[in-house]
Amino acid sequence: MIREMTRLVPALLLILLSLAAPAPLAAQTTAGAYPAFAPRAFVMFSQQQFAAKETFEAIFGESTGSFRGGGVDVVIARNIFAEIGFARFEQTGERVFPCVPAVPPPGSEVKCPFRLGIPLTAKIRSVEFVAGYRVTAWRRVLPYGGIGVGSHRYQESSEFAAAGDDVSVSASGLVLAGGVEVRLARFIGVTVDVRRSTIEEIIGSGGISKEFGENDLGGTAARFRIIIGR
Amino acid sequence: MFRARVLQMVVASGAIVLASVALGRGQSPAPGRVLLQSVSSGAVDRGLLPDEAPPPAIGGKLSMRALGDEAVHADRIGASGAAYQAGRLIVKFRDEVSTSARLSALSAMSSGSIATRKSYANFDIVTLDPAEDAEAAARAFASRADVEYAQPAYRVYAHFVPNDPLYRTQWNLPNIDMERAWDIQPGATSSVVVAVLDTGIAFQDAIVRYNARSFRAFLSNGAILQYPALGTIDVPFAAATDLRGTNRFATPHDFIWEDNLPLDLAGHGTHVSGTIGQLTNNGIGTAGVAYNVRLMPVKVIDDAWDFIFGSPNEGTDETVSRGIRYAADNGAKVINMSIGRTGPPAPVVEDAIRYAVGKGTFIAIAAGNAFEEGNPRQVIAEIASRVEGAVSVAAVDLLHNRAFYSGTGTWVELAAPGGSSRGFGTAGTIYQQTYDLDFVDTYDLPPALYRAPRFDVLAFLPFQGTSMATPHVSGLAALLVQQGITSPAAIEAALERFAADRGATGRDNEFGHGEISARNTLRGLGLSR
């Protein structure tokens, strides 16, 4: 299902962009000097709640993680936007063993899962392409929503690894985003949005993620961007 | 070579029965031995002895009986075929039953008496008329509402089968990926104590004075051999040179002699201990799995010399259960039990196993060597299969196949290298340091050549059996404890989760969940792999 939707999304985005083609004329009449095609650059920071909550808690002790990155976007006819962004996550935790029983008895000092003291470093590198629509009813505050696809590379390495033990795999997934852009100045704006990404086929077939039955490397992120451009 | 021929004769003729003209076991109230000094002239190490071979013990062993006392002190064979100690019954009254009520129950049930409760026993020993059927008496006691369980004191034996050809490499450790496992967890530390419930360990230099009684050897072919009394003899002991070290042994105890001197009078426990904790990277001998742990020698099994010297106890469910409780109460995190028996259930042992696991002690138990002798159900191993935190261990050969002797059944939970000489010669067996049996098993010689034993001549000998497989699991469990996995149930789950599947896919009756894989178990799970 996700794979099929991933294929469909680029087509939907092209349709969305083609619909925006007549917009420049309208834009000139409603927004005065606003360009028909406005490229911008941004830097971003996001805090993500991973969908594989138990998995990340087991390895890293917390189910959230920080992404940092940047990218460019373009606003077409003031209302349509398309962005391509890069984000990177890296965190070090420990290899683990699941608890038996899965839930320790009340009062037990056992922490689950057992952390083995063997360092594990996970890296996620994502390139996401998202397009959507901005509401321009207000001058400084512009709500927006979009949909897109992401390409993700996941790397996992551990101490004492032998050949074939470490992991380096790629997969694609869907991205949904919705938020608001606040224009601080003519060429500076900030955005706050919530993004839901879905990345299957990387985790869930082995490791502690399999034990927990979690197969989505994505999650829900609160993202903050600083945008340079109109 | 001569001894080997005698062994063959013994094997061919079946079990022999030895009998002494001295006081029968259990009749000597005085201490049966005197520790003269705790040092000896030092060990003699004969190195690798590939042509040595211990006698077989398949759920049984060379049994001995006191001359003139056979009817009184011989083991009795129950309806199930299991041997038990005559004249004794293990009874567990319910906790709320008072002493007077117990005595009242006893007078109603039997002409016997209740012995003073021994240390590390949560049960009572009822002494019976030796002629009385203890199994029937147990059934009668068990039917009472105020009795939790009752059972005869079934005899428990060491597991190992003989081999004789040469062996030069420890294939068994690479086969479970130990080298890479040591990269992760190098041999644990002395903070982890592994109790070895066995025939004792060669853990101390000593000279001990014993009285060696005369005895008869009854061969099943009808022949009877008369062995002379050796009288008072001073027997030298040496600690195994590849086991000993500073602070290496923790709180030793002997439930056969009821003292704190669990000297190995057979060599089995010393060999087993080597696989768990033989000193490693010291330039001599062989390696052990968890070579930095402390070993707790707990003697619960007797052997021929214990009998000849008149030890007060034999290895039964009673000594085993007391030994388990002792080990758990004295800080053992792992208990190795390369022992077992067939026959009726052993509630007293199960009670002790559950007690120890409840105190956080993991237990590994041999699954038995009697596959070719009808593959009987192994009572103690079967308990392990019902307790999370205790495992029963089958044996595999160097090609990861089930060893020919290794018992199969629903109770088998894991497999580990136990060795097999069949098809491989001694190259397929497990080597560790123990006594040179030429100096120990002198009762196997004809009476004219029979002489006092020496327990200070050491050698590296090839053994095979689930007794040899079990300490691999115990050693790996000790490494897991060092890694921080201290819950017995979690240790069992880890061992089973990462075992290499053998035989039929998934759990099966030959290998259980598979052959242990040390490195994978210690490495645990990553996020995605």
Side-chain angles (χ1 to χ4, degrees):
Chain A
M1 181 67 177
I2 294 296
R3 180 182 294 175
E4 291 167 358
M5 290 186 68
T6 304
R7 291 195 192 105
L8 285 173
V9 164
L12 291 172
L13 293 174
L14 286 174
I15 293 170
L16 190 62
L17 291 174
S18 65
L19 289 175
L25 185 59
Q28 286 177 3
T29 57
T30 58
Y34 198 88
F37 187 86
R40 311 186 301 177
F42 64 86
V43 293
M44 52 96 28
F45 167 85
S46 70
Q47 187 71 16
Q48 177 161 311
Q49 170 67 60
F50 287 100
K53 185 179 176 185
E54 289 184 284
T55 297
F56 276 80
E57 275 185 354
I59 299 289
F60 304 109
E62 57 188 2
S63 60
T64 60
S66 301
F67 285 76
R68 288 177 174 79
V72 294
D73 72 0
V74 58
V75 176
I76 303 168
R78 193 170 172 85
N79 294 104
I80 306 298
F81 72 90
E83 71 166 71
I84 183 164
F86 167 82
R88 184 174 187 274
F89 163 85
E90 179 174 339
Q91 195 157 339
T92 297
E94 295 178 28
R95 296 181 71 84
V96 297
F97 188 78
C99 257
V100 177
V103 179
S108 171
E109 295 180 357
V110 174
K111 292 182 179 176
C112 294
F114 301 99
R115 305 186 79 189
L116 295 172
I118 301 173
L120 176 153
T121 299
K123 297 177 183 174
I124 302 172
R125 290 181 173 82
S126 299
V127 177
E128 292 178 333
F129 175 69
V130 174
Y133 186 82
R134 302 198 311 172
V135 177
T136 55
W138 303 278
R139 186 176 173 214
R140 288 187 177 275
V141 179
L142 301 95
Y144 63 88
I147 186 171
V149 293
S151 176
H152 311 274
R153 181 156 201 84
Y154 174 73
Q155 293 176 295
E156 177 182 322
S157 58
S158 302
E159 199 172 333
F160 310 115
D165 284 341
D166 287 341
V167 178
S168 181
V169 291
S170 297
S172 57
L174 285 175
V175 183
L176 293 171
V180 63
E181 177 176 340
V182 177
R183 298 303 304 175
L184 301 178
R186 182 178 176 84
F187 288 98
I188 299 177
V190 295
T191 71
V192 177
D193 61 27
V194 175
R195 300 165 72 85
R196 175 70 175 93
S197 60
T198 304
I199 312 168
E200 296 184 348
E201 300 175 0
I202 286 184
I203 65 172
S205 58
I208 195 69
S209 58
K210 182 181 180 184
E211 301 288 324
F212 289 133
E214 295 178 322
N215 62 359
D216 184 359
L217 188 59
T220 303
R223 184 178 67 153
F224 175 76
R225 287 191 298 167
I226 299 174
I227 296 177
I228 307 298
R230 294 187 67 188
Chain B
M1 288 300 292
F2 178 76
R3 196 175 64 80
R5 285 197 298 274
V6 173
L7 280 174
Q8 288 167 5
M9 177 186 71
V10 170
V11 172
S13 59
I16 65 171
V17 178
L18 305 180
S20 167
V21 295
L23 281 174
R25 184 192 299 267
Q27 287 191 325
S28 299
R33 59 179 175 178
V34 177
L35 174 63
L36 298 179
Q37 58 189 69
S38 58
V39 295
S40 69
S41 55
V44 177
D45 191 342
R46 298 187 69 203
L48 193 69
L49 292 179
D51 59 348
E52 284 291 348
I58 306 166
K61 61 167 199 164
L62 304 183
S63 60
M64 298 181 171
R65 280 191 288 171
L67 183 62
D69 265 346
E70 291 95 328
V72 176
H73 295 284
D75 289 341
R76 289 175 60 98
I77 305 299
S80 64
Y84 63 81
Q85 194 175 8
R88 295 167 77 81
L89 192 64
I90 298 170
V91 180
K92 173 73 164 63
F93 289 96
R94 298 197 184 282
D95 291 340
E96 64 273 17
V97 179
S98 66
T99 302
S100 60
R102 295 177 193 205
L103 291 172
S104 172
L106 179 64
S107 62
M109 299 294 297
S110 165
S111 59
S113 59
I114 295 180
T116 304
R117 183 174 286 192
K118 296 181 178 179
S119 57
Y120 299 99
N122 70 336
F123 51 85
D124 292 303
I125 297 295
V126 172
T127 57
L128 304 172
D129 181 337
E132 192 171 345
D133 183 343
E135 289 187 329
R139 285 193 294 273
F141 269 97
S143 65
R144 292 180 58 90
D146 53 359
V147 171
E148 196 171 320
Y149 57 77
Q151 64 153 87
Y154 288 107
R155 298 279 281 121
V156 183
Y157 307 100
H159 278 312
F160 71 95
V161 291
N163 61 79
D164 47 8
L166 182 66
Y167 171 73
R168 293 191 180 281
T169 59
Q170 284 186 283
W171 57 271
N172 45 311
L173 298 181
N175 263 27
I176 59 171
D177 211 355
M178 272 317 304
E179 292 92 338
R180 294 201 300 170
W182 285 324
D183 287 342
I184 299 171
Q185 179 44 253
T189 69
S190 60
S191 66
V192 180
V193 176
V194 180
V196 182
L197 270 62
D198 214 289
T199 57
I201 299 179
F203 77 103
Q204 180 177 326
D205 294 338
I207 296 176
V208 182
R209 179 162 293 169
Y210 292 98
N211 177 33
R213 308 175 300 175
S214 64
F215 60 89
R216 286 178 183 168
F218 296 86
L219 305 185
S220 61
N221 62 6
I224 300 174
L225 301 176
Q226 173 82 43
Y227 285 80
L230 298 175
T232 299
I233 54 174
D234 294 341
V235 179
F237 290 84
T241 53
D242 210 13
L243 277 178
R244 70 190 309 168
T246 304
N247 201 26
R248 193 71 208 286
F249 299 101
T251 57
H253 195 78
D254 191 330
F255 287 94
I256 299 301
W257 288 86
E258 297 286 8
D259 59 21
N260 292 325
L261 200 61
L263 295 167
D264 189 356
L265 272 64
H268 183 270
T270 301
H271 194 283
V272 165
S273 300
T275 297
I276 298 170
Q278 195 84 294
L279 296 177
T280 301
N281 290 332
N282 62 345
I284 60 169
T286 51
V289 173
Y291 46 82
N292 289 323
V293 298
R294 295 182 78 198
L295 298 168
M296 181 191 290
V298 182
K299 183 166 177 169
V300 298
I301 297 294
D302 63 313
D303 207 83
W305 283 111
D306 292 291
F307 171 79
I308 294 170
F309 293 152
S311 66
N313 296 330
E314 297 176 78
T316 69
D317 289 353
E318 175 197 343
T319 55
V320 170
S321 59
R322 292 173 65 204
I324 293 168
R325 289 171 179 275
Y326 173 86
D329 285 351
N330 285 276
K333 298 306 296 179
V334 177
I335 294 176
N336 186 90
M337 294 170 59
S338 291
I339 58 179
R341 71 163 175 84
T342 58
V348 68
V349 178
E350 178 165 350
D351 203 13
I353 288 173
R354 290 187 184 279
Y355 172 80
V357 170
K359 291 202 73 171
T361 306
F362 173 82
I363 303 176
I365 303 172
N369 300 331
F371 179 79
E372 295 187 337
E373 285 72 39
N375 193 34
R377 178 172 162 272
Q378 293 292 327
V379 173
I380 298 177
E382 195 273 336
I383 295 169
S385 69
R386 288 184 280 107
V387 177
E388 283 190 13
V391 298
S392 61
V393 184
V396 296
D397 63 25
L398 62 78
L399 295 181
H400 307 287
N401 297 313
R402 182 182 64 81
F404 66 92
Y405 51 79
S406 184
T408 66
T410 56
W411 62 86
V412 174
E413 295 179 281
L414 285 169
S420 173
S421 60
R422 185 175 294 178
F424 304 105
T426 50
T429 60
I430 308 296
Y431 270 84
Q432 287 297 349
Q433 188 178 41
T434 187
Y435 302 127
D436 180 349
L437 297 179
D438 276 345
F439 294 84
V440 171
D441 295 348
T442 57
Y443 48 77
D444 281 338
L445 299 169
L449 299 174
Y450 168 63
R451 62 182 188 274
R454 288 182 61 175
F455 299 99
D456 61 344
V457 183
L458 303 165
F460 290 89
L461 292 185
F463 284 7
Q464 60 186 339
T466 52
S467 280
M468 283 64 248
T470 305
H472 290 83
V473 174
S474 296
L476 179 52
L479 300 184
L480 285 169
V481 171
Q482 190 67 56
Q483 285 290 99
I485 302 179
T486 54
S487 156
I491 293 170
E492 175 173 349
L495 293 168
E496 293 173 356
R497 166 68 174 75
F498 292 101
D501 196 10
R502 307 287 186 215
T505 302
R507 197 220 154 267
D508 60 67
N509 288 345
E510 287 189 285
F511 305 92
H513 293 276
E515 183 179 6
I516 57 169
S517 177
R519 188 257 186 176
N520 287 345
T521 307
L522 289 170
R523 194 162 179 267
L525 295 172
L527 197 153
S528 68
R529 184 175 294 173

